[in-house]
Amino acid sequence: MFLTKECDYGIRIIRALADGQKRTAEEICAIESIPGQFAYKILKKMERGGFLQSCRGRDGGYWLVRSLDEISIHDIIETIDEYLYLNECLRDDRPCSRNPKSSPCGVHHELMRIQEKLIKELQQTSIREFV
């Protein structure tokens, strides 16, 4: 299990905009050392997710539309990657190679328990704690 680079960059984008200033994608990339090819894709996802707004043109840029206290790490993960799994067998669309879904093994049960705790913690951790 790991956070993807996209999730890491999503958190960094929020951090670059945390002071409430409007910034261009280029400024965000420079502040947080994010490769430009990733930035636009992630910015678009973050805007669709309701974290940012943007405007084009000479005075264009991106700015936060939600408070840092309202944005959890889980919100960012869900917006960028949809979901975080500890193991493939926890996904509904990926069957376990050893046991049917109707009879999961003890490892599956333990990983599910841990994943539920992780998700709860990520939901309770606001981005403000990272900034």
Side-chain angles (χ1 to χ4, degrees):
M1 179 210 74
F2 61 93
L3 288 178
T4 64
K5 276 288 191 199
E6 276 190 79
C7 284
D8 177 44
Y9 293 153
I11 292 168
R12 293 172 187 278
I13 286 169
I14 298 291
R15 186 170 68 179
L17 298 171
D19 63 1
Q21 299 296 311
K22 178 172 52 172
R23 294 209 162 76
T24 65
E26 292 80 15
E27 290 171 325
I28 294 167
C29 289
I31 291 167
E32 292 294 338
S33 301
I34 299 171
Q37 71 266 23
F38 283 111
Y40 289 102
K41 179 180 173 185
I42 298 166
L43 285 163
K44 190 175 286 190
K45 287 182 180 182
M46 302 284 286
E47 190 170 7
R48 277 192 304 250
F51 301 105
L52 326 166
Q53 271 192 325
S54 68
C55 65
R56 293 178 173 222
R58 196 173 122 225
D59 294 324
Y62 297 86
W63 63 94
L64 286 178
V65 294
R66 288 174 57 188
S67 158
L68 297 177
D69 295 316
E70 296 174 338
I71 303 170
S72 74
I73 300 304
H74 187 264
D75 293 336
I76 295 170
I77 292 168
E78 237 180 10
T79 298
I80 294 175
D81 281 339
E82 296 181 25
Y83 210 75
L84 178 66
Y85 292 97
L86 288 175
N87 193 342
E88 293 285 322
C89 74
L90 298 176
R91 293 181 58 156
D92 289 334
D93 64 337
R94 303 274 171 90
C96 178
S97 61
R98 297 182 166 248
N99 296 305
K101 286 283 184 195
S102 60
S103 179
C105 68
V107 172
H108 179 92
H109 286 293
E110 187 61 15
L111 289 176
M112 182 62 81
R113 183 189 68 77
I114 293 167
Q115 178 158 323
E116 288 169 358
K117 284 186 173 190
L118 174 63
I119 289 170
K120 186 175 181 180
E121 189 67 28
L122 292 170
Q123 288 170 333
Q124 294 174 349
T125 304
S126 77
I127 192 69
R128 181 171 301 284
E129 297 175 45
F130 279 67
V131 187

